[in-house]
Amino acid sequence: MPNLTYKEAIKDALAEELRRDSAVFIMGEDIGLHGGAFGLTKGLFAEFGPDRIKDTPISESIIAGAALGSALAGMRPVVEMMFGDFSALAYDQIVNAAAKARFQFGGQCKTPLVIRMPVGALSWKSAGVVHCQSVDNWYVQIPGLKVVLPATPYDAKGLLKSAIRDDNPVIFLEHKALYEVAGDVPDEDYVVPLGVADIKRSGDTCTVVACGKMVHFALEAAVTLADEGIDLEVIDLRTLKPLDEETVFNSVRKTHRAVVVHEGHRSGGLAADWGMRIYTECLDWLDGPVGWVAAKDVPIPYNDGLEKRVLPQVADIVAAVRKTHGEA
Amino acid sequence: MPNLTYKEAIKDALAEELRRDSAVFIMGEDIGLHGGAFGLTKGLFAEFGPDRIKDTPISESIIAGAALGSALAGMRPVVEMMFGDFSALAYDQIVNAAAKARFQFGGQCKTPLVIRMPVGALSWKSAGVVHCQSVDNWYVQIPGLKVVLPATPYDAKGLLKSAIRDDNPVIFLEHKALYEVAGDVPDEDYVVPLGVADIKRSGDTCTVVACGKMVHFALEAAVTLADEGIDLEVIDLRTLKPLDEETVFNSVRKTHRAVVVHEGHRSGGLAADWGMRIYTECLDWLDGPVGWVAAKDVPIPYNDGLEKRVLPQVADIVAAVRKTHGEA
Amino acid sequence: MVDLSGDLLLRMYYTMWLIRDFENKAAELFMKGILAKGGVHSSVGQEAVATGVGLALRQDDWISSTHRGHGHQLAKGADPRRLMAELLAKDAGYCRGRGGSMHVAAFEVGSLGAYAVVGEGVPIAVGAALAEAMKGSDRVSAPFLGDGALGQGVVHESFNLASVWQLPVVFVVERNGIAVSTSCDRMVAPSTRLADLARAYGLRYRGVDGQDVVAVHEAAREAIAAARAGQGPSLLDCKTYRFEGHYYGEPQVYRSREETEAVRRMHDPIAHFETYLSEHGAARQEEMREIRQRASETVEDAARFAQASPEPEPATYGEYVYA
Amino acid sequence: MVDLSGDLLLRMYYTMWLIRDFENKAAELFMKGILAKGGVHSSVGQEAVATGVGLALRQDDWISSTHRGHGHQLAKGADPRRLMAELLAKDAGYCRGRGGSMHVAAFEVGSLGAYAVVGEGVPIAVGAALAEAMKGSDRVSAPFLGDGALGQGVVHESFNLASVWQLPVVFVVERNGIAVSTSCDRMVAPSTRLADLARAYGLRYRGVDGQDVVAVHEAAREAIAAARAGQGPSLLDCKTYRFEGHYYGEPQVYRSREETEAVRRMHDPIAHFETYLSEHGAARQEEMREIRQRASETVEDAARFAQASPEPEPATYGEYVYA
Ligand SMILES: Cc1ncc(C[n+]2csc(CCOP(=O)(O)OP(=O)(O)O)c2C)c(N)n1
Ligand SMILES: Cc1ncc(C[n+]2csc(CCOP(=O)(O)OP(=O)(O)O)c2C)c(N)n1
Ligand SMILES: [Mg+2]
Ligand SMILES: [Mg+2]
């Protein structure tokens, strides 16, 4: 199986879907010849040309709105937002228009629309407060949207294909810090279904629920903790909405312990949502409190020393897991 | 003490702050002679004139952005968004600019800015999917913002005065269904501090944590449940950020049971956040699972029969409380 | 000048009455508390814009509409029964009671829907035009927007995208001079300088008397033909008048009753068109009476149908969230 | 034509070199990995716009800036040490390392800050102008924006509000023809028709050669004087050139090296100004050399200062979230 980076896997998914279905096209800023801010569309312009790889003006709102309109009229647009943070400019079109269109029109239409957004912090090359946010819960809380965040090249490709083939608006988050991470990706056409979590590491003393970069941090924590006899089960949610609760609950019912980890801010964030679900469904199985690891309620600083204190680190996961075992 | 409606209390707070401080002004759509979509500024135009009660074009983004700019230059703007839902158009200015300004500039400036937004469903006169949302967690999850939602006329007036005097961006939510609710409001100048919850009903067998209209639903539920010997303690959070956790935790440590109730959608919503906090801090005090009452993950329908099924009702709170007592 | 067949003129006449009767019926139901749902915005006074544009479009062309959109839907060919049923939040409504007046769509006749958020439907119509251009069809897309909507940035973004991509869009500005209580002349600088704005964006511009259905229709035909021929987008600036308050029952503190009365008297698009029809010998009095009667009966039937229709089944609340 | 004192001309010359040296120093530190933080965008080639406008403003006037804003800050009088320290994310930086290049502000000299989100700073400057108008001061506000930013709806909303409220704003468009890799001429219809756009909004318009600091300055003085006198907002359309890639190290697949070289050769605002100074006998060669030397030393000093400065204390991460 070829070894590809997360970035290459995404690009391949785009290319294959563009080839497979003439209704698929991409629009976004500097995605043509330039290949996108992170190079995700590099080469696509040469193969598919300006009609299907559409450079846009810097107008996030019309980008999202026009994509939605084209979806209502039968196309399958894939939008690239240069940074997830900038989708704030398109928030109305995404949450008030796209998310609700099918519902408010009583099922008259479908909205096959994917909005790709790089999210999360880079640390080694930070760009500050509006280039590093985890915007997951700007969207998870909105009925009608699906939200995806892959952690590996395999999942990235398979999930993106599912997203493009889905008839709903899908917010497809890509973690910037994972773009260069490599992994095995099959040559054959495959999809990873939306709404199905994946156990990235099997273990039986504590479940860690995470997504994106935090999955890798959890796997690192697992290595540290293995020496202490703590055997982590790491669940990569992959799709943040609809959520695969069953995989989480089954794991917790097996391990009797859980830590929820999310890169977003603690208040109003997704870690709390996952934790509350675990408590609600698995209270009687739990042998300790659910650990809660999230970013502090502080904007993400430009300075990386400060940034490290704001965002969850491997050590925070390790500490939280220990605490579920009654250790200080 | 005069008996005022929530709406009158808000208007009085605006008028008194406009009189007290010449830096305070109001801007928004149709707030002048017309008096605002819900009549909240009626009469202010006559007293303060067009310079301080500023009608704007239908441009939510520049409204928020210009308010922010004026705050940075020394004014104390109060913005009226016609509906909370429309603040989606100003999302970038609010979450990427206003919320972060003081932080990103390393404390060089203050941002005394209030954005008032009517939120929530009316039921008896629904306006559908983009006029009824609880947008609380569009903002609670953003560091740098404060978020307030009063449930009574007394709190509305006192909290709005605090918000206007605060040097941070405050999202001041007003529940449309409460505008005509009356209550005692002192004549004298008073404030209700931000960040302090209020026990709206003392009780000792179960704590209900709520805000806005749900406080009233919880109080109704308390009447029903009293007959069953269940004595609810109803906590009105009043400020959703920063959250007064201590009042909640102290209550739960006393009652040993809790139900969290929020009008927003279940996924990624604030009820989960509150529930997770209670579990995290009070696990050993709990005699039963924390009840979780929230809107379904469905947009708010125009038809009110459907709407009732989507939004939390008194009966849902009653049922959740009974469940914390081990009853089906 | 385009040639307007007698049949077309009569269809215009019918459509204008259909819209007016529909609006007045909705007002009546609203006042009686039968249509006690949400804000309902009357387009009475603006019938010529909806009609002139609507009848210039093919059924497979697209429109997007606004909070004041009943006329747009009817002129595009929507079923009055299903439209009225939607206003009454009934299961037989176009949106099965989920959307209501401000969110009604009729995809079967090319309506991408009304959008309650001011300006929100404009980019969506641009997107539909993009889709048609990409598919190589000759369908065009006509977003309706108020002059207040010119305050929304996304409308400007829409003008730009339609222009630089040369999309088959006809932007129809219903310039009634007002937004709720606010004078657009005073609060929306470009609303009275739309020719300059169009020039800045490279949009074809036509300013017309929006009370003159024939003028609107001719300008729309021209703009639509250009769009269909791949000659790019146009902006149609239709000066019109809102006869009623912003919504049914809105008190109108910002204008006097006399002012409103004068507007109704001087700028009635139907009266204007009746004169035209007589002067051009296009319809006899009796014919007009019959058409008017037919419109009125259609609306009565729609109201009866809608009132008799059942509410959506509460248990179905979760439908249509996802496809 | 305004009268430019010799002293002012020399300050302009100094400021242009200060900006250029500062940018090149930042590039050097960036390439060495010392300034290994975030995207840093060089304004080399655009010095005349920042300088011409900056020196026309009073210190208590406001500016808001963009991702390409070092020049704006310097021309407004910001301390090069604290600016460079901010680029290096140091505690002595204007924002104590929290903001960085794309979020640097200098309130002490009237900078409301750089805003990394394209167009985001424009409404904020309009708001500052509103504040000054309400306070009855005579301060004006000058938002800088790129031509790409004309794609953002909020910029259009800003034009409108400044116009209908007649606020003391001077919109300064740095029309370098490009946005990252994208030609604004092709992608932003109004960017080449700004006079029409200004007319649509009722903004006073002046188009100038942005490589000619004297022309920029004169136009800015006029616009600022009008704003200060309560005569409302202006749009300054400054045709300029971006000499470097979008950010340091950006590969520039969209233009050839020859093209860039030609632009540098033909449109260098400093070379242009040197000719002007000589021709007008405003500065001797030696004087110019001295000034240049002083600018260079200031930048070296700033770089040394910034590099020697400590990082912010990690434990202070929670500061400044709330006032
Ligand atoms: C973004 C947004 N802001 C405010 C409103 C409230 N509102 C509904 S209609 C309207 C006026 C619209 O004016 P215009 O576009 O001229 O249309 P008209 O009512 O004249 O048909 C306003 C402010 C809204 N629906 N959406
Ligand atoms: C809203 C938003 N979209 C995209 C970006 C990424 N971006 C940064 S600078 C830039 C180009 C801006 O072009 P222009 O306004 O012409 O300024 P210039 O770079 O030419 O100085 C883009 C697209 C951004 N920062 N903000
Ligand atoms: Mg109007
Ligand atoms: Mg540019």
Side-chain angles (χ1 to χ4, degrees), chain D residues 253-270:
Chain D
V253 294
Y254 45 86
R255 62 181 182 185
S256 67
R257 186 177 292 269
E258 295 71 48
E259 212 178 316
T260 316
E261 293 300 325
V263 164
R264 281 175 204 268
R265 221 173 25 247
M266 292 162 53
H267 299 290
D268 185 338
I270 296 189

Side-chain angles (χ1 to χ4, degrees), chain B residues 62 66 73 92 104 108 145 168, chain D residues 94 107 120 127 135 157 322-323:
Chain B
I62 178 73
D92 180 70
Q104 77 190 7
Q108 288 180 74
L145 299 178
N168 299 287
Chain D
Y94 267 110
F107 278 75
E120 198 184 69
K135 288 188 270 179
E157 298 183 7
Y322 291 115

Side-chain angles (χ1 to χ4, degrees), chain D residues 158-230:
Chain D
S158 301
F159 291 158
N160 185 51
L161 202 74
S163 170
V164 297
W165 288 356
Q166 285 293 292
L167 298 176
V169 183
V170 179
F171 297 98
V172 183
V173 181
E174 298 187 290
R175 191 154 64 80
N176 62 13
I178 202 158
V180 187
S181 73
T182 302
S183 154
C184 295
D185 296 3
R186 283 191 298 106
M187 202 55 90
V188 188
S191 75
T192 53
R193 304 183 186 102
L194 284 173
D196 289 323
L197 196 68
R199 199 170 310 117
Y201 282 100
L203 301 173
R204 190 177 278 102
Y205 172 83
R206 272 294 293 278
V208 293
D209 176 356
Q211 305 312 91
D212 177 347
V213 69
V214 173
V216 172
H217 186 75
E218 286 179 356
R221 286 244 298 235
E222 201 179 295
I224 291 163
R228 221 185 280 300

